[in-house]
């Protein structure tokens, strides 16, 4: 592994990426209902606005609103103000809407390229971390650190699995209950916290027999994690049901309201994990059932295990309880590493190239691991901040360098539509408007793309 190479993508990779064709199938329940809203919204977007700029603005809004929520509850135990929860719900809705129309804007302006697909997925990988963390803070899940760890890393894993099966099958597949449904579920959680106050999730209600049902659901949840994590799932199971403050209640006792959205998250996780793993285990489109790059269909588990396993071990071995005391910072640090690994998987898929196992972002977790190994030579909180800064800078460096290399190869701009192209688009649209002046404008359709976001876009 060579750190900070002058060129991250070889000429062969760039050639294969420029020939990449986006493939996606979706049967989402909410996408059809939201299409009129997305069609109306994109019709109000000026033609000169680049699609990638729409994507990154939505991501920034989502990150800022989540950071405001985290600022008021960094340990996910302090009750955040209601307005912060509402702001987070609004930020997620704006992000979801903008993420849904960037592909529509690209097709509307005729600027679709593989760079847009890569840029969109890269932003989604980062957003996944903040969305999952914001939901945990809104329900004060810091009182149950094990559950919070599971929920956040489960979200990262499911996003990784979606692109893992794409690396295997060559096509991104979305089920009836998928990304859009998960996003609106979290929006609902934030709105409930905003209307009734976050303390509503701390209320206990008597539910007879709920312990038995809880244990059954937890067993299914762990079984789903076996499929997702494969070799290292036993590490997660070592904590045991009901230990470390989990929300599994004893039979015939009260249970906190906050477990209900967790059950919903578990259900969605099971559905998504089963659909992705079934595609992976069925074999790939490459030679002898390999991936699009001709590698083993199980090879992508190795890079991601280098993220999750250290995250769990460091959490369990910390003498200063660095995760329990600073869960938000801890999850953000490891979440940026997971986002980097996911982005590398997307690049490997689009360039039909083998994915390297080691990565420079792993230096961040190595700081924490070595500090523990040498008996906590430095206060863990400071090392955690160093880890977060390193992985955040490394993620930004990687993403920006990959985008610039693609822009240079394809002779395009990342956040700008060329003036000559923009003028041509305006003339064509003006001519169409004159011809169809008396005819009602037909709405934009997305027959091939998942809610218009996961598409190839050029800015």
């Amino acid at each position: 592994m060579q750190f900070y190479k002058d060129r991250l993508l070889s000429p062969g990779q760039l050639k294969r990426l420029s020939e990449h064709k986006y493939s996606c199938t979706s049967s989402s329940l909410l996408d059809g209902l939201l299409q009129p809203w997305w069609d109306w919204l994109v019709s109000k977007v000026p033609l000169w606005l680049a699609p990638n700029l729409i994507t990154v603005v939505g991501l920034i809004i989502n990150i800022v609103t989540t950071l405001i929520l985290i600022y008021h509850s960094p340990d996910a135990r302090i009750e955040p103000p209601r307005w912060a929860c509402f702001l987070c719900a609004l930020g997620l809705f704006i992000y979801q809407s903008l993420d849904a129309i960037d592909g529509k804007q690209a097709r509307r302006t005729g600027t679709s390229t593989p760079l847009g697909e890569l840029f969109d997925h890269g932003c989604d990988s980062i957003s996944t971390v903040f969305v999952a963390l914001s939901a945990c803070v809104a329900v004060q899940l810091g009182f149950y650190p094990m559950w919070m760890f599971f929920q956040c890393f489960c979200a990262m894993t499911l996003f990784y699995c979606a692109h893992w099966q794409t690396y295997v099958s060559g096509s991104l597949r979305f089920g009836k209950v998928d990304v859009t449904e998960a996003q609106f579920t979290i929006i609902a959680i934030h709105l409930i916290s905003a209307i009734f106050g976050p303390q509503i999730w701390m209320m206990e209600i008597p539910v007879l027999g709920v312990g038995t049902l809880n244990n059954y659901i937890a067993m299914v949840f762990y079984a789903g994690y076996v499929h997702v994590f494969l070799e290292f799932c036993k590490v997660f199971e070592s904590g045991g049901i009901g230990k470390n403050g989990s929300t599994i209640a004893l039979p015939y006792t009260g249970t906190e309201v906050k477990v209900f959205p967790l059950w919903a998250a578990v259900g969605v996780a099971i559905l998504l994990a089963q659909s992705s793993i079934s595609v992976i285990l069925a074999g790939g489109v490459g030679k002898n059932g390999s991936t699009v790059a001709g590698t083993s269909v199980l090879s992508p588990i190795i890079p991601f295990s280098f993220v999750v396993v250290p995250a769990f071990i460091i959490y369990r071995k910390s003498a200063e309880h660095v995760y329990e005391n600073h869960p938000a910072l801890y999850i953000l640090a490891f979440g940026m590493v997971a986002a980097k690994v996911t982005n590398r998987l997307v690049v490997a898929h689009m360039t039909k190239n083998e994915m390297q196992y080691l990565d420079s972002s792993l230096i961040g977790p190595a700081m924490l691991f070595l500090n523990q190994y040498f008996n906590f030579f430095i206060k863990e909180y400071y090392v955690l901040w160093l880890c977060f800064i390193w992985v955040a800078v490394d993620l930004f460096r990687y993403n920006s360098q990959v985008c610039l290399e693609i822009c240079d190869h394809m002779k395009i701009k990342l956040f700008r539509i060329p003036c000559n192209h923009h003028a041509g688009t305006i003339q064509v649209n003006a001519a169409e408007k004159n011809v169809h002046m008396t005819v009602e404008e037909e709405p934009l359709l997305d027959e091939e793309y998942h809610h218009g976001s996961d598409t190839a876009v050029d800015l």
Side-chain angles (χ1 to χ4, degrees), residues 233-245:
C233 64
K234 292 181 180 180
V235 178
F236 288 87
E237 292 183 34
S238 62
I241 297 174
K243 295 179 64 177
N244 299 315

Side-chain angles (χ1 to χ4, degrees), residues 127-206:
S127 174
T128 298
V129 180
F130 285 88
V131 171
L133 181 57
S134 69
C136 292
V137 174
V139 300
Q140 296 177 273
L141 208 57
F143 288 108
Y144 307 93
M146 182 65 77
W147 260 115
M148 185 171 178
F149 186 93
F150 275 135
Q151 294 305 315
C152 290
F153 279 89
C154 183
M156 302 175 205
T157 302
L158 292 175
F159 188 84
Y160 186 83
C161 283
H163 291 283
W164 181 0
Q165 65 90 14
T166 307
Y167 186 56
V168 171
S169 66
S171 177
L172 187 60
R173 306 180 186 183
F174 295 94
K176 292 184 177 180
V177 179
D178 219 289
V179 178
T180 307
E181 288 73 17
Q183 289 173 334
F184 275 88
T185 299
I186 294 177
I187 290 175
I189 291 175
H190 285 305
L191 290 177
I192 291 174
S193 297
I195 296 172
F196 301 102
Q199 69 274 10
I200 191 174
W201 304 109
M202 302 298 291
M203 183 176 63
E204 294 189 3
I205 58 175

Side-chain angles (χ1 to χ4, degrees), residues 133-335:
L133 181 57
S134 69
C136 292
V137 174
V139 300
Q140 296 177 273
L141 208 57
F143 288 108
Y144 307 93
M146 182 65 77
W147 260 115
M148 185 171 178
F149 186 93
F150 275 135
Q151 294 305 315
C152 290
F153 279 89
C154 183
M156 302 175 205
T157 302
L158 292 175
F159 188 84
Y160 186 83
C161 283
H163 291 283
W164 181 0
Q165 65 90 14
T166 307
Y167 186 56
V168 171
S169 66
S171 177
L172 187 60
R173 306 180 186 183
F174 295 94
K176 292 184 177 180
V177 179
D178 219 289
V179 178
T180 307
E181 288 73 17
Q183 289 173 334
F184 275 88
T185 299
I186 294 177
I187 290 175
I189 291 175
H190 285 305
L191 290 177
I192 291 174
S193 297
I195 296 172
F196 301 102
Q199 69 274 10
I200 191 174
W201 304 109
M202 302 298 291
M203 183 176 63
E204 294 189 3
I205 58 175
V207 181
L208 296 180
V210 74
T212 303
L213 179 61
N214 275 355
N215 281 277
Y216 173 77
I217 294 176
M219 289 173 62
V220 176
F221 174 61
Y222 286 128
Y225 247 70
V226 168
H227 290 290
V228 177
F229 285 122
L230 298 179
E231 299 173 352
F232 50 86
C233 64
K234 292 181 180 180
V235 178
F236 288 87
E237 292 183 34
S238 62
I241 297 174
K243 295 179 64 177
N244 299 315
S246 73
T247 54
I248 302 300
L250 296 175
Y252 304 103
T253 61
T255 181
E256 293 181 351
V257 177
K258 69 173 62 182
V259 302
F260 292 109
L262 296 179
W263 293 345
V266 168
V268 172
I270 294 171
L271 291 174
L272 298 182
Q274 287 180 342
S275 61
S276 295
I277 296 302
S278 62
V279 173
I280 293 169
L281 297 182
V285 295
K287 187 177 180 180
N288 298 322
S290 62
T291 68
V292 294
T295 59
S296 168
V297 295
L298 297 180
S299 59
I301 194 176
I302 299 176
F304 199 74
S305 67
F306 288 157
V307 180
V308 179
V309 173
F312 185 78
I313 293 176
I314 293 170
Y315 152 42
R316 298 293 291 176
K317 296 294 184 179
S318 174
E320 300 178 13
H321 304 287
V322 64
Y323 167 69
E324 290 93 332
N325 294 328
H326 313 284
L329 182 60
Y330 192 91
I331 289 172
L332 285 178
F334 281 92

Side-chain angles (χ1 to χ4, degrees), residues 432-452:
E432 291 179 351
K433 184 176 180 180
N434 292 332
V435 173
H436 302 287
M437 186 176 298
T438 59
V439 181
E440 181 179 353
E441 183 180 358
E442 183 179 354
L444 294 170
L445 299 178
D446 282 83
E447 298 178 354
E448 300 181 46
Y449 301 92
H450 171 64
H451 65 63

